[in-house]
Amino acid sequence: MRYREVNFDGLVGPTHNYAGLSLGNVASQENKDAVSNPRKAALQGLEKAKALADRGFPQAILPPQERPAIGALLDWGIKGTSDADVLSNAATQAPQLLAASASASSMWTANACTMTPSIDSGDERTHFTPANLSSKLHRSIEAPFTCRLLKAIFADEDRFVVHPPLGGGVAMADEGAANHTRFCPGLSSKGLHLFVYGRHAFTHLATEPKRYPARQTRESFESIARHHEIPDEQQIFLQQSPEAIDAGVFHNDVISVGNRDVFLCHEDAFLDQEAAIRDLQAAFQALSGDPLRLIQVPREQVSLQDAVGSYLFNSQLLTLGEGCQLLVAPSESSANSQVAGFLQHCLEDKDNPIEEVLYFDLRESMRNGGGPACLRQRVVLNAGELRHLKGRVLLDDSLYTELKDWIETHYREKLAPADLADPQLLEESRRALDALTGILHLPSLYDFQGAKNP
Ligand code: SUG
């Protein structure tokens, strides 16, 4: 059975803003309280998805979550006689909780879940585990809706399994596919799953970062690998370099990206990197019989600081043809002379699999630390599975036109921190999302539509 990769990009929600919520994510902290442009953010994301769809890469869309999340504010003890009252009380009593309830962070669908294709699972079904995102308050409230959404799209239980997010709080902290890469000689062959973690549930303080928190635990990924029934020889676990985390590498997709048999990574991505890469290469060779094609970028060429500033490694790698790949990079990478020089060298080197680089302006998302790879969840499906998706989520010309029009109708061009308490913003967002479930042919998904968890 032939498998294809479908990239599910997150539509940026109407409350996209800069609240400085992510300690350890340099861009989020630097842009705290800046004025955002939600309309531009959503259009920038949609243009990337459309451009890739036009190039023949299957592309789908995931809708945003309802924000501000009134339910979360009620959970956190904010009271009020109406939604407007709850927002106003939150703004005066706990402005940070208001900001956490209003983040459009579900746009970064690389953090939505971890998925395993049916070809790699013991029960031959496609598995999803929504990420609990328990390391950050504003992201932890995403998991229940993500679960509901995945169950709505991947509803056919003969083919798909959507597990609940992992319980267990910070010990089982899970950030999803941002820390997961599947290597394979071809998409229709069994893959090697690389799970990257920043810390252990049961402390190993000597290998933990000192400045910024490590978000993902090894134990969370071990649990997911068990749930997804991935055979032992198809799993490998590597620990992030604590120095990299302290330099702003809050997810592994800020320092490495892999596709098929190609792995582009920085020299300082992993703890004890030489051994880590040796183990990875050996595991891939043992599974596939082929060598892993490693492009390791030395720190002399691109420093950790330049890697974080340019988001080079938050690029997408997509297969152009046998042995050659397209790198989808943020425009910040072309603006950094060291990084641009490195990419030019890749293009000129005949033995390098990167044959083309496409740059995208994703500045609105980038200012919160979200590049091209953050905005997409890779889902590997065979033709039968693809036919059984629910909803109109695959991006084609007509869906693109409707979504563009929808964004232009419903989104503001300016959002300042004080606007998050504006009850009009909540109303506008709900109107937008109500229209969106119609466009996407999805059932009522949102709390305000009366949806309940299945
Ligand atoms: O979790 N930023 C997100 C960025 C996620 C990027 N995803 C991947 N690397 N895959 C985060 O830190 C900032 C929100 C704010 O500060 O307003 C934020 O949540």
Side-chain angles (χ1 to χ4, degrees), residues 12-80:
V12 177
T15 63
H16 159 65
N17 74 97
Y18 301 115
L21 297 172
S22 283
L23 177 69
N25 168 345
V26 178
S28 149
Q29 293 187 268
E30 280 178 358
N31 293 302
K32 180 175 175 2
D33 295 337
V35 173
S36 65
N37 185 334
R39 183 184 298 186
K40 196 184 220 178
L43 290 172
Q44 286 174 342
L46 183 64
E47 290 308 325
K48 173 185 81 106
K50 177 64 164 56
L52 296 181
D54 286 347
R55 291 282 304 256
F57 300 105
Q59 186 69 56
I61 290 296
L62 288 177
Q65 302 207 5
E66 179 189 349
R67 296 290 182 269
I70 298 294
L73 291 171
L74 296 174
D75 276 355
W76 299 330
I78 309 290
K79 296 187 172 55

Side-chain angles (χ1 to χ4, degrees), residues 108-304:
W108 300 297
T109 51
N111 304 115
C113 63
T114 304
M115 77 81 53
T116 301
S118 53
I119 192 172
D120 292 341
S121 177
D123 73 355
E124 295 174 9
R125 292 189 292 171
T126 310
H127 288 250
F128 300 86
T129 297
N132 60 32
L133 296 170
S134 58
S135 293
K136 296 279 175 237
L137 179 66
H138 69 292
R139 303 222 57 184
S140 67
I141 60 175
E142 292 173 33
F145 180 85
T146 304
C147 196
R148 193 188 289 172
L149 175 62
L150 293 175
K151 282 186 172 172
I153 297 173
F154 302 98
D156 182 343
E157 291 180 3
D158 290 336
R159 291 179 170 78
F160 306 118
V161 194
V162 179
H163 299 272
L166 292 177
V170 290
M172 285 290 163
D174 168 30
E175 299 278 316
N179 291 324
H180 168 247
T181 308
R182 176 179 185 263
F183 296 102
C184 54
L187 276 186
S188 309
S189 321
K190 288 187 184 301
L192 175 69
H193 294 258
L194 166 61
F195 296 107
V196 181
Y197 60 95
R199 65 185 171 87
H200 296 258
F202 308 100
T203 43
H204 282 251
L205 288 177
T207 60
E208 286 192 11
K210 310 218 162 11
R211 187 168 177 221
Y212 292 142
R215 294 200 196 181
Q216 180 106 32
T217 64
R218 177 178 176 124
E219 288 74 6
S220 67
F221 269 150
E222 287 174 345
S223 305
I224 289 172
R226 281 190 291 268
H227 280 305
H228 292 200
E229 302 186 30
I230 302 173
D232 287 352
E233 65 280 10
Q234 288 177 249
Q235 323 170 5
I236 178 166
F237 297 84
L238 297 179
Q239 183 167 354
Q240 282 182 282
S241 145
E243 289 77 26
I245 295 175
D246 279 339
V249 179
F250 56 99
H251 289 139
N252 180 60
D253 67 5
V254 176
I255 201 72
S256 76
V257 53
N259 180 43
R260 306 260 180 126
D261 59 347
V262 174
F263 192 34
L264 171 66
C265 80
H266 191 273
E267 183 181 9
D268 294 320
F270 303 109
L271 185 73
D272 194 357
Q273 177 122 347
E274 227 181 281
I277 294 292
R278 205 183 321 116
D279 290 350
L280 180 66
Q281 286 176 316
F284 185 74
Q285 178 92 42
L287 181 71
S288 68
D290 292 328
L292 186 69
R293 304 175 75 186
L294 177 71
I295 311 169
Q296 191 166 216
V297 186
R299 65 183 79 92
E300 285 75 34
Q301 201 160 6
V302 176
S303 66
L304 267 179

Side-chain angles (χ1 to χ4, degrees), residues 285-416:
Q285 178 92 42
L287 181 71
S288 68
D290 292 328
L292 186 69
R293 304 175 75 186
L294 177 71
I295 311 169
Q296 191 166 216
V297 186
R299 65 183 79 92
E300 285 75 34
Q301 201 160 6
V302 176
S303 66
L304 267 179
Q305 206 187 8
D306 278 339
V308 171
S310 69
Y311 254 41
L312 162 66
F313 297 95
N314 201 257
S315 297
Q316 293 175 242
L317 272 175
L318 297 165
T319 307
L320 285 171
E322 212 36 62
C324 54
Q325 304 207 355
L326 164 70
L327 190 85
V328 174
S331 47
E332 284 76 358
S333 287
S334 68
N336 179 305
S337 58
Q338 289 295 110
V339 171
F342 164 73
L343 288 175
Q344 192 53 37
H345 172 77
C346 289
L347 293 175
E348 284 161 11
D349 177 359
K350 281 197 192 52
D351 295 329
N352 190 303
I354 299 174
E355 196 149 283
E356 186 183 348
V357 180
L358 270 183
Y359 294 104
F360 284 91
D361 176 2
L362 297 165
R363 189 148 184 275
E364 285 287 322
S365 167
M366 282 287 288
R367 293 177 82 204
N368 256 334
C374 300
L375 285 162
R376 63 93 171 89
Q377 172 72 221
R378 303 157 108 171
V379 181
V380 176
L381 299 169
N382 64 35
E385 292 158 352
L386 202 50
R387 272 198 303 276
H388 281 81
L389 299 188
K390 290 276 186 288
R392 180 193 178 208
V393 292
L394 292 170
L395 190 65
D396 55 17
D397 286 350
S398 71
L399 181 57
Y400 163 77
T401 308
E402 283 182 54
L403 288 175
K404 189 162 185 273
D405 183 52
W406 171 80
I407 293 166
E408 282 162 353
T409 306
H410 293 283
Y411 280 53
R412 295 188 183 187
E413 287 182 288
K414 232 174 166 184
L415 208 60

